[in-house]
Amino acid sequence: MEKKITTEQLAAFEKDFAADPAKRVAQLAVTANGVNKSAVNPFARREIRHQFSIQLETGKITNQKASGRCWMFAALNTMRVEVMHKLNLEHFELSQNYTLFYDKLEKANYFLENILDTLEEPTEGRLISHLLRDPLGDGGQWDMLCNLIEKYGVVPKDAMPETACSSATHEVTSHMTRRLREFACNLREAHAAGKSAEELREQKEAMLCNIYNMLCIAFGNPPQTFTFETRDKDKKFIRDENLTGPEFFKKYVGWNLNDYVSLINAPTADKPYHRTYTVKMLGNVKEGRPVKYLNLPVEDLKKAAIAQMKDGQPVWFGCDVGQSSSREGGIMDLEALHVDDLFGTTFGMNKAQRLDYGESLMTHAMVFQGVNLDEAGNPTRWRVENSWGKDAGEEGYYVMSDDWFSEYTYQVVVNKKYLTEAQQKELEQEPTALEPWDPMGSLA
């Protein structure tokens, strides 16, 4: 039998609130200043300082502005270090607009192919609803960035600079998304009307050309060749002409992207440790490699990240940045906000429960640029390079407590040489395919 809220209950609730002066004080603070500002712990910065026993310097802070390209910025910021070292540069930045252009184009193709593969699925079913929800979002995964680079390479930022639309993607993405949903409708209705697979493919080709035109108008035409010019720390001028994106990557970054692997920490019952996972229908480049993770205890993620930084190379990672963090001072710490004390309540779910019940997942990618190790070699705090400009955090940098890493960091990408022999063998397993809406399918 259902039970409604009664006037007696409301009176009891009001009496409970009025009986505690602390609730009234909290009410005054929150109604005037908001929740997080009222809950900030000013003493957290005493315990978690921007000082690290291992600290890398890898160029100026970047700014993704009003876009969701954190995963691109983080990945390109790890790669630019190679260019800076090879050419003795003070600063260097790769074009995030170039990778954005091709990511949108490839995602459009990936979406349309998924629609063609699911023509018999009911429109009101969960799968089609999922595909239609966000077919062209800014977010992505490490393997998706690798697919773009293996196909299109990278270019310096001045070869394809930012535009108003690349720095603020919402408008153009919303219009392209509207178009893609209409394309999905057209393809499904044409199939229902008896159109052949060949006729549907012809329609899809015209649709993709339409998206390409929209991208060129919003982001500019991507360069087919370009001239790279810069000046090193010793004022020596460098020029390299008639380069393509793949040639630039091979010559100046030079990574074998197959050596870099994604480690996740998802301590849920459905994902045993030491096994590999992928996510159905998650990707951008249709012919590219699928997303693949190795699930490990969180301490193993930390060990691999530390080992790579000890060799002077930063680490791409994904986390839930909005949890227990303060933009002012760049604090990511379980004690950064005392929201529980403010409201007189407790937040008791563990990491696995938060994943299972939709309370947390990976929302943002950044770069580890350092770590503080105690006398026993254990990490106490981590240096984080963000891509929100110099006004966020401490001149663009954040500091993460080791406890925060354990609770809210979900993924790190490292060269597989930093894994144990047993972990490298585990990588060879055929991955278990997770459903498209699994929390490990979230995009940074």
Side-chain angles (χ1 to χ4, degrees), residues 95-136:
S95 172
Q96 304 91 358
N97 188 22
Y98 180 78
T99 48
L100 175 67
F101 181 100
Y102 284 118
D103 181 59
K104 295 291 190 192
L105 181 63
E106 292 286 351
K107 277 178 178 168
N109 182 64
Y110 196 91
F111 168 76
L112 293 173
E113 286 295 322
N114 281 340
I115 292 299
L116 290 173
D117 288 341
T118 56
L119 292 171
E120 300 300 329
E121 291 285 332
T123 305
E124 70 277 8
R126 186 172 187 180
L127 180 56
I128 299 301
S129 296
H130 176 81
L131 293 177
L132 294 173
R133 182 175 58 85
D134 189 20
L136 208 65

Side-chain angles (χ1 to χ4, degrees), residues 330-394:
I331 304 297
M332 304 165 76
D333 181 52
L334 301 185
E335 295 298 317
L337 303 174
H338 283 190
V339 178
D340 49 355
D341 292 340
L342 186 68
F343 284 109
T345 190
T346 57
F347 300 97
M349 284 196 289
N350 60 33
K351 192 173 189 177
Q353 291 167 334
R354 287 192 293 268
L355 284 170
D356 282 339
Y357 285 85
E359 168 51 27
S360 182
L361 42 64
M362 186 180 72
T363 60
H364 190 52
M366 296 181 282
V367 179
F368 283 131
Q369 280 202 338
V371 61
N372 190 64
L373 304 178
D374 64 18
E375 295 301 317
N378 298 313
T380 61
R381 56 185 179 269
W382 300 75
R383 189 186 194 218
V384 175
E385 177 194 46
N386 204 350
S387 54
W388 291 347
K390 294 184 68 175
D391 293 337
E394 185 90 1

Side-chain angles (χ1 to χ4, degrees), residues 80-98:
R80 69 173 173 169
V81 177
E82 298 293 338
V83 184
M84 293 169 65
H85 287 169
K86 280 185 172 74
L87 298 177
N88 189 34
L89 302 181
E90 188 74 38
H91 174 66
F92 179 73
E93 204 167 335
L94 292 162
S95 172
Q96 304 91 358
N97 188 22
Y98 180 78

Side-chain angles (χ1 to χ4, degrees), residues 248-262:
F248 186 89
F249 179 79
K250 183 178 180 180
K251 186 172 184 178
Y252 292 109
V253 179
W255 286 1
N256 179 356
L257 292 173
N258 291 323
D259 288 340
Y260 288 83
V261 296
S262 292

Side-chain angles (χ1 to χ4, degrees), residues 113-364:
E113 286 295 322
N114 281 340
I115 292 299
L116 290 173
D117 288 341
T118 56
L119 292 171
E120 300 300 329
E121 291 285 332
T123 305
E124 70 277 8
R126 186 172 187 180
L127 180 56
I128 299 301
S129 296
H130 176 81
L131 293 177
L132 294 173
R133 182 175 58 85
D134 189 20
L136 208 65
D138 287 357
Q141 266 286 348
W142 172 265
D143 288 305
M144 294 163 66
L145 195 282
C146 291
N147 287 335
L148 294 173
I149 292 176
E150 286 170 346
K151 189 168 182 177
Y152 301 106
V154 294
V155 304
K157 190 158 191 170
D158 59 11
M160 190 170 178
E162 291 287 289
T163 70
C165 288
S166 67
S167 293
T169 55
H170 174 73
E171 287 182 354
V172 67
T173 299
S174 67
H175 293 305
M176 287 190 290
T177 297
R178 178 183 175 189
R179 202 74 180 101
L180 284 175
R181 288 174 178 150
E182 183 177 351
F183 291 158
C185 174
N186 293 343
L187 289 172
R188 290 174 63 83
E189 289 187 350
H191 170 70
K195 296 292 185 182
S196 68
E198 183 178 346
E199 289 174 307
L200 294 179
R201 291 252 161 230
E202 288 177 1
Q203 288 187 35
K204 182 223 162 185
E205 188 74 15
M207 294 169 179
L208 206 54
C209 181
N210 188 193
I211 294 296
Y212 185 90
N213 292 336
M214 295 176 77
L215 288 168
C216 287
I217 291 167
F219 303 139
N221 299 65
Q224 302 307 303
T225 62
F226 61 93
T227 296
F228 174 46
E229 294 178 326
T230 189
R231 196 175 293 275
D232 70 12
K233 293 178 184 177
D234 300 323
K235 309 304 179 185
K236 176 185 173 183
F237 184 70
I238 299 165
R239 177 186 289 129
D240 198 346
E241 298 180 323
N242 203 36
L243 289 167
T244 66
E247 288 169 347
F248 186 89
F249 179 79
K250 183 178 180 180
K251 186 172 184 178
Y252 292 109
V253 179
W255 286 1
N256 179 356
L257 292 173
N258 291 323
D259 288 340
Y260 288 83
V261 296
S262 292
L263 311 179
I264 61 168
N265 176 242
T268 50
D270 64 327
K271 299 180 188 70
Y273 286 144
H274 307 289
R275 296 187 189 176
T276 60
Y277 299 89
T278 189
V279 181
K280 299 174 186 176
M281 295 187 171
L282 178 68
N284 54 356
V285 179
K286 192 63 180 177
E287 72 275 19
R289 72 191 198 189
V291 168
K292 186 178 181 180
Y293 312 124
L294 174 62
N295 194 20
L296 294 173
V298 73
E299 297 304 319
D300 290 348
L301 273 65
K302 296 177 184 179
K303 289 175 185 176
I306 291 169
Q308 182 160 301
M309 284 191 288
K310 282 183 175 179
D311 279 352
Q313 188 176 341
V315 176
W316 187 102
F317 76 96
C319 67
D320 190 355
V321 70
Q323 300 275 4
S324 196
S325 65
S326 174
R327 190 182 181 98
E328 185 177 350
I331 304 297
M332 304 165 76
D333 181 52
L334 301 185
E335 295 298 317
L337 303 174
H338 283 190
V339 178
D340 49 355
D341 292 340
L342 186 68
F343 284 109
T345 190
T346 57
F347 300 97
M349 284 196 289
N350 60 33
K351 192 173 189 177
Q353 291 167 334
R354 287 192 293 268
L355 284 170
D356 282 339
Y357 285 85
E359 168 51 27
S360 182
L361 42 64
M362 186 180 72
T363 60
H364 190 52

Side-chain angles (χ1 to χ4, degrees), residues 66-83:
S67 74
R69 296 174 290 167
C70 59
W71 60 293
M72 287 183 184
F73 273 75
L76 296 176
N77 284 349
T78 62
M79 294 173 188
R80 69 173 173 169
V81 177
E82 298 293 338
V83 184

Side-chain angles (χ1 to χ4, degrees), residues 10-30:
L10 291 173
F13 295 160
E14 184 64 28
K15 183 178 180 181
D16 177 78
F17 183 86
D20 187 354
K23 292 187 177 73
R24 177 61 175 164
V25 173
Q27 182 187 59
L28 295 174
V30 172

